[in-house]
Amino acid sequence: MAFRKTYKRIGDLLIERGLITPEQLQYALNKRGEEKKPLGEVLVDLGLVSWEDITHALSEQYGIPVLESIPNKVPEKAIRMIPKQQSEKLRIVPIDYDEETNTLIVATDDVLKVNTATQEIRFLTGKPPKVYLVSPPDYADLFKRVYELEPTLDLAELRLEVDQSESAAAVEETVEALTETSPAVRIVNFIIDKALAQGASDIHIEPQENIVQVRYRIDGLLRKVTDFPKTLHSGVVSRIKIMSKLDISEKRLPQDGKFFVRKNGEQFDFRVSTMPSIFGEKVVMRILRVSAANQKLEELGFSNYNYKRLKHLISHPYGIVLITGPTGSGKSTTLVGILNEVKDMTKNIVTAEDPVEYTIEGVTQCQVNPEIGLTFPRFLRAFLRQDPDIIMVGEIRDRETAQLAIEASLTGHLVLSTLHTNTAAAAIARLVNMGIDPHLISVSLIGVVGQRLVRKLCSECRVQVEPGRAVKAEGERLKKLLDVDFTMEYIAGEGCPNCRGEGYKGRTAIHEVLVVNRRIRQMIVEKASESEIEQAALEEGMITMFEDGVLKVIQGITSLEEVRRVATVE
């Protein structure tokens, strides 16, 4: 006759292991009745045991191994094997798939459901599962990363629905078919929701020959997140066009539009661009967090040294301050920070932008519309009749805009704008190439800020190492100029749950602030080269973007590898 194994209650098990006393157990049981919480949670809240203690005690009694290391990434193949609904029901999360043994590896925090879950997983996948035990907090983190931050599974389920349809024509979306429950609408909602959850700045929906690829730009780098059937592409694009108030019948020409989404009480603006390609229309959506309109200048990654130099520039009552860098280097965000710094009830601030990305309280913002002749130059002429103190021009693109901006600065206004150049010194050469008289540049330009965006090291897994040759070499000038000393530098770690295995999380900026003083004004008049002006700026105390990056490497903010990715050293 076989005897069934009896299992002890968790409280008795912890007493037996010497982790708590009977009196402490009784107190916790009373507390559990009052708070209506599981006993384990009450014991942890009281500080009597840790989740690790409870997990190992249950592991020993039930013979289920503890998952000692939480994986940073879960293979898509493993995720597809257990739909989210089944995972919630069974309290099981897939964490890996072993190709050699054909075994699905899963984790749970509920030992009482292991037998049922094992049987259902065998039936569902046809594969034997290997079960590991984790604590409830670790399980919650795993579930969130697998099913809420990874968009692959739900689209995989949707792909299965489409594959089982009668024909491609049956899923080709029309305007009438774009209901809230249609596959195209569900895909669009899902892609947007997950992009916001992952902190993406852009969404790329790219038709290929047989599938449609979805990529997010996160921390400046594009990453493929999923794909969906080509048969749904037309419906997805139509849905986005309807949301953006675009012409859904026009598929041969590029279109631009916008819409907004509210999530968790916060508004996100989406700038939409469609473009025809050989496999269909590509859609790119730029995501703008409305709360970013309140960002302060000191929050934008400026070192104390560069912050003081920039504050000096924007304290001038008149002149031009330019922000330079390539597309996507954070120029508009820096302008927003400057406007928030200088805005005041006593000042009339007007802007001309294309488009208006962030709405700034207390500032009159104007949208450029070239189709009706409302261009930057036309706005600038109108601004001068509006008694402004500070004028912001979104971008200086041509000679006429540059000329009017200079004239505005010479008539007693502070003018802020952006320019696409690689370095701060190159902005002067760019204005000359536009046809602006060097004498006018020398008397109007008061400073240039060059910037790039770099990824920030994960604060949880970054690694401190001895400074390398490059950091030592670049650091010599920083030691003299800033009176700083350093003995270590930081590099990216192997990755952790906090950064989802990337080693980096978030972005910041590196800067160089060129102050146009008397010496540099004379060099502009004499038509000095870009390198000569840059050398003079260095002698006058400018820190290059690369040096500012090295300073942030020393401080543990970013890595030298990341600085080298976006900036060069002469």
Side-chain angles (χ1 to χ4, degrees), residues 420-560:
H420 283 90
T421 63
N422 288 325
T423 64
I428 296 165
R430 179 86 175 92
L431 291 172
V432 172
N433 291 337
M434 283 183 179
I436 306 300
D437 187 339
H439 290 82
L440 289 178
I441 299 172
S442 70
V443 296
S444 60
L445 186 66
I446 57 176
V448 185
V449 179
Q451 72 176 58
R452 296 286 190 282
L453 293 179
V454 293
R455 292 183 295 167
K456 294 168 67 175
L457 288 171
C458 172
S459 58
E460 299 291 327
C461 65
R462 65 185 180 184
V463 178
Q464 198 177 44
V465 298
E466 292 288 333
R469 185 182 303 172
V471 170
K472 286 180 178 178
E474 293 301 318
E476 287 304 315
R477 184 166 177 265
L478 293 174
K479 284 182 180 180
K480 298 174 184 175
L481 199 59
L482 305 181
D483 192 27
V484 295
D485 199 5
F486 58 92
T487 56
M488 306 294 283
E489 71 168 282
Y490 289 82
I491 61 173
E494 294 182 357
C496 65
N498 180 54
C499 61
R500 302 183 66 229
E502 297 292 337
Y504 295 90
K505 187 176 183 181
R507 286 195 291 177
T508 189
I510 56 175
H511 307 89
E512 58 187 23
V513 183
L514 188 156
V515 177
V516 180
N517 56 18
R518 185 175 301 176
R519 176 186 175 187
I520 293 177
R521 290 186 197 285
Q522 185 60 36
M523 294 180 72
I524 294 172
V525 172
E526 295 170 356
K527 300 181 180 180
S529 68
E530 175 187 333
S531 59
E532 289 172 330
I533 291 174
E534 182 166 295
Q535 183 58 40
L538 291 172
E539 292 171 5
E540 297 293 329
M542 182 181 83
I543 293 176
T544 66
M545 276 184 280
F546 193 88
E547 288 173 326
D548 190 43
V550 169
L551 182 61
K552 288 178 168 64
V553 171
I554 296 165
Q555 295 169 336
I557 298 171
T558 189
S559 67
L560 187 63

Side-chain angles (χ1 to χ4, degrees), residues 35-48:
E35 299 182 0
K36 307 298 183 188
K37 290 181 179 179
L39 178 60
E41 188 175 342
V42 173
L43 289 167
V44 172
D45 288 346
L46 291 171
L48 298 175

Side-chain angles (χ1 to χ4, degrees), residues 96-115:
D96 203 355
Y97 176 66
D98 190 331
E99 297 278 359
E100 290 185 9
T101 62
N102 195 29
T103 302
L104 178 63
I105 302 170
V106 298
T108 184
D109 66 343
D110 190 343
V111 291
L112 300 179
K113 287 189 176 180
V114 169
N115 289 335

Side-chain angles (χ1 to χ4, degrees), residues 175 178 236-251 253-259 270-275 281-285 371:
V175 179
L178 289 175
V236 167
V237 174
S238 293
R239 170 61 175 174
I240 294 171
K241 284 182 176 180
I242 289 170
M243 294 169 70
S244 311
K245 296 180 173 59
L246 299 178
D247 183 358
I248 64 170
S249 63
E250 179 57 77
K251 301 183 179 182
L253 298 173
Q255 296 188 70
D256 296 309
K258 62 182 179 180
F259 64 90
F270 285 72
R271 305 297 163 132
V272 179
S273 171
T274 68
M275 181 182 69
E281 289 181 278
K282 174 177 177 175
V283 179
V284 175
M285 295 182 276
E371 293 181 4

